[in-house]
Amino acid sequence: MAERCDIAIIGSGPGGYVAAIRAAQLGFKTVCIEKNSTFGGTCLNVGCIPSKTLLQGTEMLYHLQHQGKEFGLAFSDLKVDFTQLMSKKKQVVKTLVDGVAGLLKKNKVDVIEGLAEFVSPNTVKVTGKDKKTVEVEASYFIIATGSEPISLKDIPIDERQVVTSTGILSLPKVPSTLVVVGAGVIGVELASVYNRLGSKVMILEMLDHICPALDADLSRQLQKELQKQGIEFHLSSQAITAVVQPEEVILMANLGGVLKNISTNVLLVAVGRRPFTSGLQLEKAGVEKNKKGYITVDGNLRTTQPHIFAIGDVIDGVMLAHRASAEGVAVVEYLKGNRPEVDYLAIPNVIYTYPEVAVVGLSEQEAKEAGIDVMVGKSYFRGNARARCTGETEGFVKVVGDRKSGKLVGAHILGPHASELIAEAMLALQKKAKVEDLADAPQAHPTFSEAIKEAALDALGRPLHQ
Ligand SMILES: Cc1cc2nc3c(=O)[nH]c(=O)nc-3n(C[C@H](O)[C@H](O)[C@H](O)COP(=O)(O)OP(=O)(O)OC[C@H]3O[C@@H](n4cnc5c(N)ncnc54)[C@H](O)[C@@H]3O)c2cc1C
């Protein structure tokens, strides 16, 4: 007999599990279906969390190596225990994954392990690893099946020598050479990890600039900073084919118009991700996808079948964990009769390189394209007292405002702790605050946050410290 519930959620990533918890809290009988043996999806298992743990460990190493002496920290034999670094990563992932299991249980979400497929618009069949099946009937469904890495036709992935972001997070040893195809967020973050660990790292990017979604100023500066750290960039370059040999991969590439064979221990293909809907049998539910393979949704995240919703990476938009979670909450609140909205403009985007990059709202170019009479203010961390104390003086804050209304339209930070600093600008943007509000906010001294105030003052034409 089929199990009956109010809401069945397919996928337990940050979209699915957060939607499940909130749905249960709102009184819906909720089922969450997950095909993997652990909860948390890409983010917790093979995405945000493992990558940030490796970035943290290697950033500590970087600071000790490059600033230790300056601060009087002398050591003669600083070693990296890669196995320990990897086990720290595993332990962090396990803690968080178990935490999600605990939260689902605490909130009385019924969890089913197995692959869900639609057999009709109101029923999914779930097949477990033991091939046993169970049917789930629901009044509403939320599809939160996420995404998967895109691979290149002539570069087959083996997740050992030719890897995606999943394989590179679990390498058995530090490769002496690493070639990364794609200078997007995932490419530059993972390149940073191995560059700091001592690999010789080269990044190939098809476009003529890195991290294409960034404000041009930040993209240029980030590339400079990463080059200073030893990463070699080849822009306007393409990977063509790869041949795997016992100890090396031979990559044939077009480096800015010149064909070359490049030998590397490991090749990381980081050319983006695509929506994952394999096995879901969407056609049996009447759920349609667009040309790019994303599930089509309306403004309420409703698919072409009115009682089926889709959230997160499986629908078009920036692939971010917090966006998926916000959409999950929005759908269940909507089903409860509330009218929540996801404020997409206020969703921050972070790159966890050193220095970090964090942005929210419109870039200067986007604001101009939108016909806004922009006012721009900048402040450099080299003029920030706290940055002087910590020795992290690279980078700047750029504030973009609308001259007419005085409102903030975007904030762009490249610098120390940018991922945390962006929260203030995000709130200002969400609450439709003015650039003047940021300029007038009293900041503790000495803090990195003073750089935001200073950039806002600069936009208003009254800088104090530059
Ligand atoms: C290396 C890397 C680093 C990243 N870093 C960040 C970061 O720092 N910050 C950030 O915001 N984002 C980051 N992301 C992106 C982030 O991980 C995703 O945007 C986020 O996980 C999307 O959440 P989701 O719930 O839509 O899907 P997912 O997290 O992909 O979860 C989907 C789940 O659905 C399950 N599933 C799929 N099909 C079925 C089925 N038929 N039946 C049952 N279960 C199914 C999958 O097994 C999976 O567990 C990173 C991604 C990668 C790869």
Side-chain angles (χ1 to χ4, degrees):
M1 218 178 62
E3 178 164 345
R4 245 228 67 79
C5 65
D6 298 322
I7 306 182
I9 296 164
I10 307 172
S12 75
Y17 90 76
V18 171
I21 291 172
R22 188 64 192 135
Q25 287 171 348
L26 289 169
F28 292 109
K29 184 169 163 27
T30 308
V31 167
C32 184
I33 306 161
E34 172 55 57
K35 70 176 171 56
N36 290 345
S37 52
T38 54
F39 300 114
T42 303
C43 173
L44 268 64
N45 293 281
V46 289
C48 327
I49 300 306
S51 61
K52 263 82 262 180
T53 309
L54 296 182
L55 280 156
Q56 170 63 19
T58 56
E59 192 178 317
M60 284 160 72
L61 172 72
Y62 176 81
H63 286 307
L64 278 176
Q65 284 171 334
H66 293 87
Q67 291 180 299
K69 222 170 169 188
E70 228 181 287
F71 283 84
L73 303 172
F75 40 81
S76 54
D77 195 15
L78 183 63
K79 279 199 183 121
V80 177
D81 181 345
F82 187 64
T83 313
Q84 174 55 31
L85 178 63
M86 284 296 183
S87 69
K88 172 70 183 167
K89 177 212 72 174
K90 275 191 208 150
Q91 177 223 323
V92 173
V93 168
K94 182 168 175 2
T95 307
L96 290 177
V97 157
D98 289 351
V100 171
L103 287 171
L104 290 170
K105 193 169 172 202
K106 182 175 152 208
N107 284 284
K108 303 196 169 44
V109 174
D110 191 1
V111 170
I112 303 178
E113 192 184 321
L115 183 84
E117 65 182 284
F118 283 97
V119 289
S120 75
N122 292 90
T123 311
V124 291
K125 181 172 85 176
V126 185
T127 309
K129 288 219 169 75
D130 55 6
K131 304 279 175 241
K132 282 193 186 142
T133 60
V134 53
E135 288 202 336
V136 180
E137 279 175 17
S139 308
Y140 301 103
F141 289 89
I142 301 176
I143 303 171
T145 51
S147 59
E148 62 179 349
I150 294 176
S151 49
L152 297 168
K153 197 166 78 43
D154 294 317
I155 304 186
I157 302 289
D158 61 13
E159 293 297 13
R160 285 159 43 83
Q161 287 167 277
V162 183
V163 297
T164 65
S165 58
T166 302
I168 195 128
L169 291 168
S170 295
L171 288 184
K173 60 179 189 187
V174 178
S176 45
T177 47
L178 170 68
V179 172
V180 179
V181 184
V185 177
I186 292 176
V188 296
E189 284 187 359
L190 295 167
S192 291
V193 165
Y194 285 94
N195 183 52
R196 294 169 192 166
L197 288 170
S199 305
K200 188 164 171 23
V201 179
M202 175 195 284
I203 303 186
L204 268 58
E205 167 57 53
M206 204 170 74
L207 301 175
D208 62 0
H209 57 289
I210 71 165
C211 298
L214 283 184
D215 184 284
D217 274 356
L218 278 92
S219 166
R220 268 193 303 270
Q221 187 66 28
L222 178 63
Q223 187 186 335
K224 271 192 204 155
E225 296 294 341
L226 295 176
Q227 268 165 340
K228 268 197 262 168
Q229 291 165 28
I231 296 178
E232 185 181 326
F233 284 89
H234 291 274
L235 303 181
S236 308
S237 298
Q238 276 161 306
I240 303 168
T241 56
V243 179
V244 175
Q245 294 177 356
E247 284 300 317
E248 61 174 351
V249 180
I250 307 293
L251 172 72
M252 197 220 262
N254 176 342
L255 300 187
V258 181
L259 280 188
K260 273 210 169 145
N261 282 336
I262 304 163
S263 161
T264 179
N265 288 137
V266 173
L267 177 66
L268 166 63
V269 179
V271 293
R273 297 180 63 85
R274 62 169 161 238
F276 181 80
T277 53
S278 287
L280 264 181
Q281 309 280 15
L282 291 176
E283 58 294 344
K284 294 195 181 155
V287 170
E288 286 171 20
K289 296 192 275 187
N290 67 17
K291 279 191 198 131
K292 291 190 274 173
Y294 292 98
I295 294 180
T296 312
V297 289
D298 67 11
N300 291 314
L301 302 167
R302 205 186 269 272
T303 68
T304 41
Q305 188 62 263
H307 67 288
I308 303 179
F309 295 76
I311 59 170
D313 283 8
V314 80
I315 64 171
D316 210 348
V318 198
M319 291 185 172
L320 289 170
H322 43 290
R323 174 200 139 204
S325 301
E327 289 175 342
V329 170
V331 167
V332 294
E333 294 284 354
Y334 171 80
L335 291 176
K336 191 69 185 173
N338 302 327
R339 295 233 147 247
E341 264 183 32
V342 180
D343 187 350
Y344 287 100
L345 193 63
I347 290 185
N349 205 334
V350 174
I351 307 175
Y352 293 80
T353 43
Y354 180 78
E356 289 181 347
V357 179
V359 304
V360 69
L362 301 181
S363 66
E364 184 180 349
Q365 299 90 320
E366 285 168 339
K368 282 181 180 158
E369 277 158 29
I372 295 172
D373 179 10
V374 296
M375 54 176 172
V376 172
K378 257 191 182 179
S379 99
Y380 292 85
F381 283 103
R382 61 173 180 261
N384 175 274
R386 181 72 189 282
R388 285 280 163 196
C389 300
T390 64
E392 297 168 291
T393 48
E394 301 90 354
F396 57 87
V397 176
K398 178 173 176 180
V399 160
V400 183
D402 179 343
R403 196 177 295 282
K404 205 160 144 214
S405 66
K407 291 207 174 119
L408 178 72
V409 296
H412 308 267
I413 308 174
L414 184 144
H417 308 278
S419 57
E420 302 295 335
L421 289 179
I422 201 69
E424 181 185 348
M426 179 278 298
L427 196 63
L429 199 73
Q430 196 187 35
K431 297 297 167 204
K432 310 211 175 335
K434 293 188 169 180
V435 172
E436 199 172 13
D437 297 320
L438 283 179
D440 291 344
Q443 299 286 359
H445 177 74
T447 55
F448 298 116
S449 311
E450 288 175 295
I452 299 182
K453 180 183 174 80
E454 193 63 38
L457 282 167
D458 186 50
L460 299 171
R462 42 188 177 100
L464 289 171
H465 293 91
Q466 40 194 325

